[in-house]
Structure formats: structure tokens, C-alpha cells
Amino acid sequence: MPEHLCRPAVNLFRLTLHPEGLAAHTATFDQWARQMLAQLVRLADTSADPRLDALLDEVSAYPNVAEVVRDHPDRVRHPGRRVGGRAGHRGVLPGRRRHRGPPAIPLSDSS
């Protein structure tokens, strides 16, 4: 495994989807990549963490993953978003819903 994929903290999405990682040794890579992308999309959609969006953009740009998305655009989906599929786009369609939790309610000192 390349060193840049094995540095702490190891990221499972990078390790399994990167062309120099486990992707090269995965016989059912197309199926595995679709499953991993769907999971990453779900995580990004339910989190307020911009690092997950950046990770999704990164792994979607890997040539082997981009090929899977191009070959199976209808199978790489999540409600409100489709990975890939539009020329000139960075891999994720806009307009997805995000759950950021309930709005903050300020507490006042008055009783």
C-alpha cells in the first residue's frame, strides 16, 4: 500500500477506493465502489462536517471511481443527490438536504 494511504488516521474510503489502494485488488470493484459512495453520500448528507463533502469530491474524482459513476449513473444515487453525471461538475449535484439538528434557542436569564 502507498504510504500516503496508510498514514494515521487511515481513511477507509480513500484506502478502498483509491486506484493505488485496495481498489486494484477488489474483484467486484464496481459494486464495492457504488456501495462505498452511497455510504459516503449518506454520511455527508446527515452531517454538518464539510470534511465529508471534501472527501466525497476527492474520491469521486479518482479515475476508477469516476468510471464507475459514468458507467452506472443511475446506481450511484441518494435521495436529493446524484454523484457524477454532469459535465463540468465536481461530482455532486447541488441542492441536497442536510440535517443540521434543531435550531439553537437562546436561553434568557429572565424567569
Side-chain angles (χ1 to χ4, degrees):
M1 255 346 104
E3 182 183 331
H4 69 279
L5 295 176
C6 297
R7 286 187 216 135
V10 173
N11 182 286
L12 183 62
F13 293 102
R14 282 189 189 104
L15 185 65
T16 60
L17 295 173
H18 195 281
E20 296 175 358
L22 295 175
H25 307 284
T26 306
T28 57
F29 179 74
D30 285 11
Q31 181 181 359
W32 179 251
R34 291 190 311 265
Q35 190 76 19
M36 292 297 287
L37 284 172
Q39 179 64 29
L40 184 53
V41 167
R42 278 191 295 277
L43 288 170
D45 278 351
T46 58
S47 170
D49 191 342
R51 294 175 297 179
L52 290 172
D53 289 321
L55 179 60
L56 182 57
D57 286 344
E58 176 188 331
V59 300
S60 295
Y62 295 163
N64 56 338
V65 174
E67 183 178 338
V68 169
V69 172
R70 186 176 51 251
D71 292 347
H72 306 282
D74 293 340
R75 294 185 184 175
V76 184
R77 296 185 160 264
H78 184 67
R81 161 177 13 193
R82 190 174 89 203
V83 177
R86 261 196 348 197
H89 197 273
R90 292 177 49 209
V92 179
L93 293 180
R96 70 174 188 264
R97 296 181 331 238
R98 274 192 170 242
H99 175 71
R100 296 188 188 265
I105 300 172
L107 299 175
S108 66
D109 293 334
S110 60
S111 302

